[in-house]
């Protein structure tokens, strides 16, 4: 039962990341693109990338369960992929907070630096925590 809850929570987080990343990509695209058709292309490209993100995220959850059960050894790239998703979640949460609390205050450079900084901090923190947890639960 606990495993089903973790899987549902993971899928919910993945769907939330994909949902909010669409708006982030359109926002960043509108800063650098010259016309609406260029921004439209960014949105279409994101819609092609989103299913890949869902499949890779589901595969990561499966690998974490296998490592925690001792069925496979810990691999560094699993922690790296989790760190990328952790960074994306941090960027999405920062973007959501900035839009909610200070929509009129920030400019394009503050928006970009907020996204970059929150992605980097979240990715590093997620990598370190994941590495510690998976090393403890797997074969090392």
């Amino acid at each position: 039962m606990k495993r089903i809850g973790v899987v549902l929570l993971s899928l919910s987080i993945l769907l939330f990341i994909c949902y909010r990343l669409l708006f982030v990509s359109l926002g960043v695209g509108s800063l650098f693109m010259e016309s609406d058709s260029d921004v439209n292309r960014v949105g279409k490209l994101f819609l092609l990338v989103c299913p890949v993100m869902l499949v890779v995220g589901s595969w990561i959850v499966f690998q974490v369960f296998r490592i925690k059960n001792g069925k496979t050894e810990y691999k560094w790239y699993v922690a790296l992929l989790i760190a990328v998703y952790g960074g994306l979640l941090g960027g999405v949460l920062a973007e959501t907070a900035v839009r909610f609390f200070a929509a009129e205050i920030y400019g394009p450079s503050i928006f970009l630096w907020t996204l970059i900084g929150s992605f980097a901090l979240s990715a590093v923190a997620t990598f370190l925590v994941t590495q510690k947890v998976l090393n403890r639960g797997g074969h090392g």
Side-chain angles (χ1 to χ4, degrees):
M1 192 65 148
K2 181 180 175 182
R3 203 175 275 191
I4 292 172
V6 171
V7 168
L8 290 176
L9 179 65
S10 301
L11 287 175
S12 299
I13 291 171
L14 287 170
L15 288 172
F16 175 74
I17 289 172
C18 286
Y19 167 71
R20 289 308 304 171
L21 274 179
L22 176 61
F23 296 110
V24 171
S25 65
L26 291 174
V28 171
S30 67
L31 293 175
F32 296 108
M33 303 298 171
E34 295 178 5
S35 68
D36 287 341
S37 66
D38 291 337
V39 175
N40 193 16
R41 283 189 207 122
V42 170
K44 288 178 182 177
L45 177 66
F46 181 79
L47 291 177
L48 291 174
V49 170
C50 189
V52 174
M53 289 176 53
L54 290 172
V55 169
V56 171
S58 300
W59 178 81
I60 290 170
V61 171
F62 175 72
Q63 288 299 316
V64 168
F65 280 134
R66 291 192 60 191
I67 291 169
K68 293 297 282 179
N69 290 333
K71 293 182 180 179
T72 188
E73 291 183 8
Y74 165 76
K75 304 278 195 269
W76 64 271
Y77 59 83
V78 174
L80 186 66
L81 287 172
I82 293 172
V84 169
Y85 279 92
L88 290 174
L89 182 61
V92 163
L93 291 176
E95 182 269 342
T96 303
V98 166
R99 287 202 188 267
F100 183 73
F101 292 116
E104 294 85 27
I105 298 171
Y106 71 91
S109 62
I110 294 173
F111 178 68
L112 287 175
W113 283 111
T114 301
L115 289 177
I116 292 168
S118 61
F119 176 85
L121 289 174
S122 296
V124 168
T126 304
F127 181 77
L128 295 175
V129 169
T130 301
Q131 199 173 29
K132 181 185 273 187
V133 169
L134 289 181
N135 274 331
R136 191 173 357 132
H139 294 308

